[in-house]
Amino acid sequence: MRSVPDGAAGLLARDAIRLDAWAGGRDHAIRICGQVLVDTGAVAPAYIDAMLERERSISTYLGEGVAIPHGTSGGRDLIHRDALAVVRFPDGADWDGNPVTVCIAIAARGDGHMEILAELAQVLMDPDRARALREATEDEQVLALLTPDTETREEEEDSV
């Protein structure tokens, strides 16, 4: 059973989508993503430091031009509510030698982020959906890409 009925899109507020950002590199991109989470009231400003700390310990770069910055487990107390932010860097941001076009920042107090990561992996493993996410220019496109397919969800529920 899903703990987030609307999937990743259920945690993504429209005002947490930025599709025309610029970053000078990985840390700058993470700060921008973290600030979006701060601006939407999802996290305290210090959560940005927890995101940078996580990146220093293990890269959140997934491949296909996508990174999923998130904080350390010690930063969970800085999260006001579970949320996502999607920030697109049309010119790309250098992520330790890898070009990142889309960052999906995650703020999750519990283990719900594992389910979100699994959903994101499904999007990114589909080359057409991954490309569509990297090239999205409208908020609605991002929300649609992150909303679980109803048919797939029904199949999952039937198999339980």
Side-chain angles (χ1 to χ4, degrees):
M1 181 167 61
R2 291 184 173 277
S3 60
V4 182
D6 295 327
L11 297 178
L12 180 61
R14 189 175 298 278
D15 62 346
I17 301 172
R18 307 283 160 65
L19 299 176
D20 195 22
W22 179 88
R26 180 196 74 188
D27 288 1
H28 187 206
I30 291 170
R31 284 187 181 92
I32 291 169
C33 292
Q35 191 60 51
V36 172
L37 291 171
V38 170
D39 292 347
T40 59
V43 302
Y47 186 72
I48 297 170
D49 293 330
M51 293 172 76
L52 291 165
E53 184 180 333
R54 161 71 64 204
E55 196 64 38
R56 285 190 286 273
S57 66
I58 185 165
S59 179
T60 59
Y61 176 72
L62 290 183
E64 295 297 321
V66 179
I68 50 157
H70 55 283
T72 60
S73 57
R76 287 187 180 167
D77 291 341
L78 301 167
I79 298 171
H80 303 306
R81 62 178 169 78
D82 289 2
L84 296 178
V86 173
V87 181
R88 183 173 166 264
F89 302 97
D91 295 331
D94 178 31
W95 208 277
D96 295 329
N98 298 300
V100 167
T101 309
V102 175
C103 283
I104 303 172
I106 302 171
R109 292 187 63 107
D111 291 332
H113 69 286
M114 297 308 290
E115 182 177 321
I116 294 165
L117 291 173
E119 283 187 30
L120 294 175
Q122 287 183 2
V123 171
L124 300 174
M125 289 186 332
D126 178 333
D128 293 333
R129 289 175 73 189
R131 182 179 24 75
L133 184 60
R134 287 190 308 271
E135 297 174 358
T137 57
E138 300 289 331
D139 297 354
E140 293 79 18
Q141 292 170 304
V142 173
L143 290 167
L145 287 164
L146 296 181
T147 300
D149 181 44
T150 305
E151 186 176 303
T152 303
R153 191 172 4 168
E154 288 171 0
E155 289 172 9
E156 288 174 358
E157 290 172 357
D158 289 344
S159 67
V160 175

mmCIF file of all heavy atoms in Angstrom, residues 84-121:
data_model
loop_
_atom_site.group_PDB
_atom_site.id
_atom_site.type_symbol
_atom_site.label_atom_id
_atom_site.label_comp_id
_atom_site.label_asym_id
_atom_site.label_seq_id
_atom_site.Cartn_x
_atom_site.Cartn_y
_atom_site.Cartn_z
ATOM 1 N N LEU A 84 8.785 17.856 -2.057
ATOM 2 C CA LEU A 84 9.740 17.796 -3.158
ATOM 3 C C LEU A 84 9.864 19.178 -3.772
ATOM 4 O O LEU A 84 8.943 19.988 -3.671
ATOM 5 C CB LEU A 84 9.258 16.846 -4.259
ATOM 6 C CG LEU A 84 9.115 15.377 -3.931
ATOM 7 C CD1 LEU A 84 8.583 14.631 -5.161
ATOM 8 C CD2 LEU A 84 10.438 14.788 -3.503
ATOM 9 N N ALA A 85 10.988 19.393 -4.423
ATOM 10 C CA ALA A 85 11.181 20.576 -5.260
ATOM 11 C C ALA A 85 11.830 20.088 -6.543
ATOM 12 O O ALA A 85 12.705 19.224 -6.506
ATOM 13 C CB ALA A 85 12.070 21.607 -4.568
ATOM 14 N N VAL A 86 11.385 20.616 -7.659
ATOM 15 C CA VAL A 86 11.976 20.266 -8.944
ATOM 16 C C VAL A 86 12.566 21.538 -9.530
ATOM 17 O O VAL A 86 11.855 22.536 -9.721
ATOM 18 C CB VAL A 86 10.938 19.663 -9.910
ATOM 19 C CG1 VAL A 86 11.552 19.459 -11.295
ATOM 20 C CG2 VAL A 86 10.406 18.354 -9.368
ATOM 21 N N VAL A 87 13.870 21.486 -9.763
ATOM 22 C CA VAL A 87 14.567 22.639 -10.334
ATOM 23 C C VAL A 87 15.260 22.178 -11.611
ATOM 24 O O VAL A 87 16.029 21.216 -11.590
ATOM 25 C CB VAL A 87 15.588 23.243 -9.347
ATOM 26 C CG1 VAL A 87 16.269 24.452 -9.965
ATOM 27 C CG2 VAL A 87 14.902 23.624 -8.031
ATOM 28 N N ARG A 88 14.968 22.870 -12.696
ATOM 29 C CA ARG A 88 15.558 22.546 -13.996
ATOM 30 C C ARG A 88 16.613 23.590 -14.333
ATOM 31 O O ARG A 88 16.385 24.787 -14.197
ATOM 32 C CB ARG A 88 14.469 22.515 -15.062
ATOM 33 C CG ARG A 88 14.957 22.114 -16.424
ATOM 34 C CD ARG A 88 13.761 21.939 -17.374
ATOM 35 N NE ARG A 88 14.224 21.873 -18.719
ATOM 36 C CZ ARG A 88 14.271 22.911 -19.557
ATOM 37 N NH1 ARG A 88 13.861 24.094 -19.168
ATOM 38 N NH2 ARG A 88 14.718 22.765 -20.770
ATOM 39 N N PHE A 89 17.765 23.104 -14.749
ATOM 40 C CA PHE A 89 18.889 23.949 -15.171
ATOM 41 C C PHE A 89 19.087 23.719 -16.671
ATOM 42 O O PHE A 89 19.818 22.804 -17.068
ATOM 43 C CB PHE A 89 20.155 23.584 -14.390
ATOM 44 C CG PHE A 89 19.998 23.714 -12.898
ATOM 45 C CD1 PHE A 89 19.697 22.619 -12.113
ATOM 46 C CD2 PHE A 89 20.135 24.949 -12.287
ATOM 47 C CE1 PHE A 89 19.540 22.741 -10.737
ATOM 48 C CE2 PHE A 89 19.981 25.085 -10.914
ATOM 49 C CZ PHE A 89 19.681 23.981 -10.135
ATOM 50 N N PRO A 90 18.420 24.504 -17.532
ATOM 51 C CA PRO A 90 18.479 24.267 -18.977
ATOM 52 C C PRO A 90 19.900 24.229 -19.542
ATOM 53 O O PRO A 90 20.169 23.462 -20.472
ATOM 54 C CB PRO A 90 17.685 25.430 -19.572
ATOM 55 C CG PRO A 90 16.784 25.883 -18.477
ATOM 56 C CD PRO A 90 17.548 25.627 -17.201
ATOM 57 N N ASP A 91 20.798 25.017 -18.970
ATOM 58 C CA ASP A 91 22.186 25.034 -19.445
ATOM 59 C C ASP A 91 23.032 23.960 -18.779
ATOM 60 O O ASP A 91 24.217 23.833 -19.085
ATOM 61 C CB ASP A 91 22.827 26.407 -19.204
ATOM 62 C CG ASP A 91 22.156 27.501 -20.020
ATOM 63 O OD1 ASP A 91 21.625 27.187 -21.110
ATOM 64 O OD2 ASP A 91 22.150 28.660 -19.561
ATOM 65 N N GLY A 92 22.443 23.214 -17.861
ATOM 66 C CA GLY A 92 23.174 22.186 -17.143
ATOM 67 C C GLY A 92 23.995 22.773 -16.007
ATOM 68 O O GLY A 92 24.388 23.933 -16.043
ATOM 69 N N ALA A 93 24.209 21.980 -14.995
ATOM 70 C CA ALA A 93 25.061 22.346 -13.859
ATOM 71 C C ALA A 93 26.092 21.230 -13.726
ATOM 72 O O ALA A 93 25.738 20.048 -13.789
ATOM 73 C CB ALA A 93 24.240 22.474 -12.582
ATOM 74 N N ASP A 94 27.344 21.600 -13.552
ATOM 75 C CA ASP A 94 28.404 20.602 -13.418
ATOM 76 C C ASP A 94 28.298 19.928 -12.059
ATOM 77 O O ASP A 94 28.399 20.571 -11.017
ATOM 78 C CB ASP A 94 29.769 21.273 -13.578
ATOM 79 C CG ASP A 94 30.908 20.272 -13.394
ATOM 80 O OD1 ASP A 94 30.723 19.085 -13.719
ATOM 81 O OD2 ASP A 94 31.976 20.693 -12.909
ATOM 82 N N TRP A 95 28.077 18.627 -12.080
ATOM 83 C CA TRP A 95 27.922 17.835 -10.862
ATOM 84 C C TRP A 95 29.101 16.870 -10.823
ATOM 85 O O TRP A 95 28.975 15.715 -11.195
ATOM 86 C CB TRP A 95 26.601 17.077 -10.911
ATOM 87 C CG TRP A 95 26.001 16.777 -9.579
ATOM 88 C CD1 TRP A 95 26.308 15.743 -8.752
ATOM 89 C CD2 TRP A 95 24.958 17.495 -8.945
ATOM 90 N NE1 TRP A 95 25.526 15.770 -7.639
ATOM 91 C CE2 TRP A 95 24.689 16.848 -7.728
ATOM 92 C CE3 TRP A 95 24.228 18.639 -9.272
ATOM 93 C CZ2 TRP A 95 23.710 17.293 -6.845
ATOM 94 C CZ3 TRP A 95 23.267 19.079 -8.394
ATOM 95 C CH2 TRP A 95 23.013 18.406 -7.197
ATOM 96 N N ASP A 96 30.229 17.371 -10.397
ATOM 97 C CA ASP A 96 31.450 16.566 -10.346
ATOM 98 C C ASP A 96 31.757 15.920 -11.700
ATOM 99 O O ASP A 96 32.028 14.720 -11.794
ATOM 100 C CB ASP A 96 31.361 15.486 -9.256
ATOM 101 C CG ASP A 96 31.277 16.094 -7.862
ATOM 102 O OD1 ASP A 96 31.838 17.185 -7.657
ATOM 103 O OD2 ASP A 96 30.644 15.478 -6.991
ATOM 104 N N GLY A 97 31.665 16.723 -12.753
ATOM 105 C CA GLY A 97 31.983 16.246 -14.087
ATOM 106 C C GLY A 97 30.797 15.701 -14.859
ATOM 107 O O GLY A 97 30.916 15.365 -16.033
ATOM 108 N N ASN A 98 29.642 15.618 -14.214
ATOM 109 C CA ASN A 98 28.427 15.151 -14.886
ATOM 110 C C ASN A 98 27.478 16.333 -15.071
ATOM 111 O O ASN A 98 27.224 17.070 -14.123
ATOM 112 C CB ASN A 98 27.717 14.083 -14.041
ATOM 113 C CG ASN A 98 28.563 12.861 -13.841
ATOM 114 O OD1 ASN A 98 28.951 12.212 -14.790
ATOM 115 N ND2 ASN A 98 28.886 12.563 -12.588
ATOM 116 N N PRO A 99 26.931 16.487 -16.273
ATOM 117 C CA PRO A 99 25.974 17.584 -16.474
ATOM 118 C C PRO A 99 24.611 17.224 -15.898
ATOM 119 O O PRO A 99 24.059 16.168 -16.214
ATOM 120 C CB PRO A 99 25.913 17.722 -17.997
ATOM 121 C CG PRO A 99 26.256 16.360 -18.508
ATOM 122 C CD PRO A 99 27.201 15.753 -17.504
ATOM 123 N N VAL A 100 24.087 18.079 -15.016
ATOM 124 C CA VAL A 100 22.770 17.867 -14.425
ATOM 125 C C VAL A 100 21.826 18.931 -14.956
ATOM 126 O O VAL A 100 22.120 20.122 -14.891
ATOM 127 C CB VAL A 100 22.829 17.896 -12.882
ATOM 128 C CG1 VAL A 100 21.443 18.003 -12.278
ATOM 129 C CG2 VAL A 100 23.536 16.650 -12.367
ATOM 130 N N THR A 101 20.711 18.470 -15.492
ATOM 131 C CA THR A 101 19.690 19.364 -16.017
ATOM 132 C C THR A 101 18.522 19.503 -15.054
ATOM 133 O O THR A 101 17.888 20.540 -14.994
ATOM 134 C CB THR A 101 19.165 18.831 -17.373
ATOM 135 O OG1 THR A 101 20.279 18.571 -18.212
ATOM 136 C CG2 THR A 101 18.270 19.831 -18.057
ATOM 137 N N VAL A 102 18.247 18.438 -14.298
ATOM 138 C CA VAL A 102 17.109 18.450 -13.372
ATOM 139 C C VAL A 102 17.552 17.958 -12.001
ATOM 140 O O VAL A 102 18.180 16.907 -11.880
ATOM 141 C CB VAL A 102 15.958 17.547 -13.878
ATOM 142 C CG1 VAL A 102 14.833 17.469 -12.850
ATOM 143 C CG2 VAL A 102 15.418 18.047 -15.197
ATOM 144 N N CYS A 103 17.181 18.734 -10.987
ATOM 145 C CA CYS A 103 17.373 18.313 -9.597
ATOM 146 C C CYS A 103 15.992 18.135 -8.979
ATOM 147 O O CYS A 103 15.131 19.006 -9.119
ATOM 148 C CB CYS A 103 18.130 19.366 -8.797
ATOM 149 S SG CYS A 103 19.889 19.406 -9.088
ATOM 150 N N ILE A 104 15.813 17.017 -8.325
ATOM 151 C CA ILE A 104 14.582 16.779 -7.577
ATOM 152 C C ILE A 104 14.999 16.693 -6.112
ATOM 153 O O ILE A 104 15.550 15.688 -5.670
ATOM 154 C CB ILE A 104 13.877 15.491 -8.036
ATOM 155 C CG1 ILE A 104 13.576 15.570 -9.538
ATOM 156 C CG2 ILE A 104 12.597 15.280 -7.218
ATOM 157 C CD1 ILE A 104 13.059 14.289 -10.137
ATOM 158 N N ALA A 105 14.784 17.797 -5.401
ATOM 159 C CA ALA A 105 15.171 17.869 -3.995
ATOM 160 C C ALA A 105 14.111 17.188 -3.142
ATOM 161 O O ALA A 105 12.911 17.338 -3.383
ATOM 162 C CB ALA A 105 15.337 19.326 -3.573
ATOM 163 N N ILE A 106 14.564 16.431 -2.154
ATOM 164 C CA ILE A 106 13.671 15.663 -1.307
ATOM 165 C C ILE A 106 13.826 16.088 0.154
ATOM 166 O O ILE A 106 14.945 16.176 0.658
ATOM 167 C CB ILE A 106 13.963 14.152 -1.411
ATOM 168 C CG1 ILE A 106 13.832 13.682 -2.864
ATOM 169 C CG2 ILE A 106 13.048 13.343 -0.493
ATOM 170 C CD1 ILE A 106 14.302 12.259 -3.081
ATOM 171 N N ALA A 107 12.694 16.326 0.800
ATOM 172 C CA ALA A 107 12.655 16.542 2.250
ATOM 173 C C ALA A 107 11.660 15.523 2.790
ATOM 174 O O ALA A 107 10.477 15.583 2.466
ATOM 175 C CB ALA A 107 12.203 17.963 2.579
ATOM 176 N N ALA A 108 12.153 14.557 3.554
ATOM 177 C CA ALA A 108 11.273 13.511 4.095
ATOM 178 C C ALA A 108 11.698 13.185 5.519
ATOM 179 O O ALA A 108 12.850 12.854 5.760
ATOM 180 C CB ALA A 108 11.322 12.264 3.221
ATOM 181 N N ARG A 109 10.768 13.295 6.441
ATOM 182 C CA ARG A 109 11.071 13.035 7.850
ATOM 183 C C ARG A 109 11.225 11.557 8.145
ATOM 184 O O ARG A 109 12.026 11.162 8.954
ATOM 185 C CB ARG A 109 9.982 13.616 8.745
ATOM 186 C CG ARG A 109 9.953 15.126 8.729
ATOM 187 C CD ARG A 109 8.973 15.637 9.753
ATOM 188 N NE ARG A 109 9.391 15.242 11.081
ATOM 189 C CZ ARG A 109 9.901 16.063 11.991
ATOM 190 N NH1 ARG A 109 10.041 17.321 11.720
ATOM 191 N NH2 ARG A 109 10.247 15.622 13.177
ATOM 192 N N GLY A 110 10.425 10.730 7.501
ATOM 193 C CA GLY A 110 10.459 9.293 7.769
ATOM 194 C C GLY A 110 11.125 8.543 6.637
ATOM 195 O O GLY A 110 12.010 9.053 5.967
ATOM 196 N N ASP A 111 10.652 7.333 6.414
ATOM 197 C CA ASP A 111 11.214 6.505 5.352
ATOM 198 C C ASP A 111 10.455 6.660 4.039
ATOM 199 O O ASP A 111 10.703 5.912 3.098
ATOM 200 C CB ASP A 111 11.218 5.027 5.778
ATOM 201 C CG ASP A 111 12.211 4.780 6.896
ATOM 202 O OD1 ASP A 111 13.214 5.520 6.973
ATOM 203 O OD2 ASP A 111 11.979 3.858 7.696
ATOM 204 N N GLY A 112 9.542 7.608 3.959
ATOM 205 C CA GLY A 112 8.770 7.820 2.747
ATOM 206 C C GLY A 112 9.625 8.162 1.550
ATOM 207 O O GLY A 112 9.216 7.952 0.412
ATOM 208 N N HIS A 113 10.836 8.653 1.806
ATOM 209 C CA HIS A 113 11.700 9.020 0.681
ATOM 210 C C HIS A 113 12.112 7.801 -0.133
ATOM 211 O O HIS A 113 12.383 7.907 -1.321
ATOM 212 C CB HIS A 113 12.926 9.795 1.165
ATOM 213 C CG HIS A 113 13.895 8.987 1.954
ATOM 214 N ND1 HIS A 113 13.653 8.605 3.252
ATOM 215 C CD2 HIS A 113 15.094 8.468 1.617
ATOM 216 C CE1 HIS A 113 14.676 7.887 3.678
ATOM 217 N NE2 HIS A 113 15.560 7.794 2.716
ATOM 218 N N MET A 114 12.105 6.616 0.485
ATOM 219 C CA MET A 114 12.462 5.411 -0.259
ATOM 220 C C MET A 114 11.417 5.112 -1.338
ATOM 221 O O MET A 114 11.750 4.747 -2.455
ATOM 222 C CB MET A 114 12.613 4.217 0.688
ATOM 223 C CG MET A 114 13.739 4.393 1.705
ATOM 224 S SD MET A 114 15.328 4.829 0.965
ATOM 225 C CE MET A 114 15.735 3.315 0.149
ATOM 226 N N GLU A 115 10.155 5.290 -0.996
ATOM 227 C CA GLU A 115 9.083 5.101 -1.967
ATOM 228 C C GLU A 115 9.193 6.144 -3.084
ATOM 229 O O GLU A 115 9.005 5.832 -4.262
ATOM 230 C CB GLU A 115 7.740 5.220 -1.252
ATOM 231 C CG GLU A 115 6.543 4.984 -2.146
ATOM 232 C CD GLU A 115 5.245 5.042 -1.358
ATOM 233 O OE1 GLU A 115 5.206 4.552 -0.221
ATOM 234 O OE2 GLU A 115 4.284 5.587 -1.913
ATOM 235 N N ILE A 116 9.502 7.372 -2.691
ATOM 236 C CA ILE A 116 9.662 8.442 -3.685
ATOM 237 C C ILE A 116 10.817 8.110 -4.620
ATOM 238 O O ILE A 116 10.705 8.256 -5.838
ATOM 239 C CB ILE A 116 9.895 9.790 -2.974
ATOM 240 C CG1 ILE A 116 8.649 10.193 -2.191
ATOM 241 C CG2 ILE A 116 10.273 10.869 -3.990
ATOM 242 C CD1 ILE A 116 8.886 11.293 -1.189
ATOM 243 N N LEU A 117 11.926 7.657 -4.051
ATOM 244 C CA LEU A 117 13.082 7.297 -4.883
ATOM 245 C C LEU A 117 12.727 6.179 -5.855
ATOM 246 O O LEU A 117 13.150 6.203 -7.013
ATOM 247 C CB LEU A 117 14.263 6.880 -4.003
ATOM 248 C CG LEU A 117 14.909 7.995 -3.190
ATOM 249 C CD1 LEU A 117 15.934 7.421 -2.233
ATOM 250 C CD2 LEU A 117 15.536 9.020 -4.094
ATOM 251 N N ALA A 118 11.939 5.218 -5.406
ATOM 252 C CA ALA A 118 11.533 4.127 -6.291
ATOM 253 C C ALA A 118 10.680 4.654 -7.439
ATOM 254 O O ALA A 118 10.849 4.246 -8.595
ATOM 255 C CB ALA A 118 10.771 3.065 -5.498
ATOM 256 N N GLU A 119 9.788 5.578 -7.140
ATOM 257 C CA GLU A 119 8.965 6.181 -8.197
ATOM 258 C C GLU A 119 9.821 6.966 -9.177
ATOM 259 O O GLU A 119 9.627 6.880 -10.395
ATOM 260 C CB GLU A 119 7.913 7.110 -7.588
ATOM 261 C CG GLU A 119 6.751 6.397 -6.993
ATOM 262 C CD GLU A 119 5.677 7.372 -6.555
ATOM 263 O OE1 GLU A 119 5.552 8.452 -7.171
ATOM 264 O OE2 GLU A 119 4.964 7.050 -5.597
ATOM 265 N N LEU A 120 10.754 7.747 -8.646
ATOM 266 C CA LEU A 120 11.623 8.532 -9.512
ATOM 267 C C LEU A 120 12.466 7.624 -10.395
ATOM 268 O O LEU A 120 12.694 7.922 -11.569
ATOM 269 C CB LEU A 120 12.515 9.458 -8.686
ATOM 270 C CG LEU A 120 11.789 10.558 -7.920
ATOM 271 C CD1 LEU A 120 12.773 11.328 -7.047
ATOM 272 C CD2 LEU A 120 11.045 11.488 -8.858
ATOM 273 N N ALA A 121 12.909 6.523 -9.841
ATOM 274 C CA ALA A 121 13.702 5.576 -10.624
ATOM 275 C C ALA A 121 12.891 5.049 -11.803
ATOM 276 O O ALA A 121 13.424 4.886 -12.907
ATOM 277 C CB ALA A 121 14.189 4.430 -9.742
#
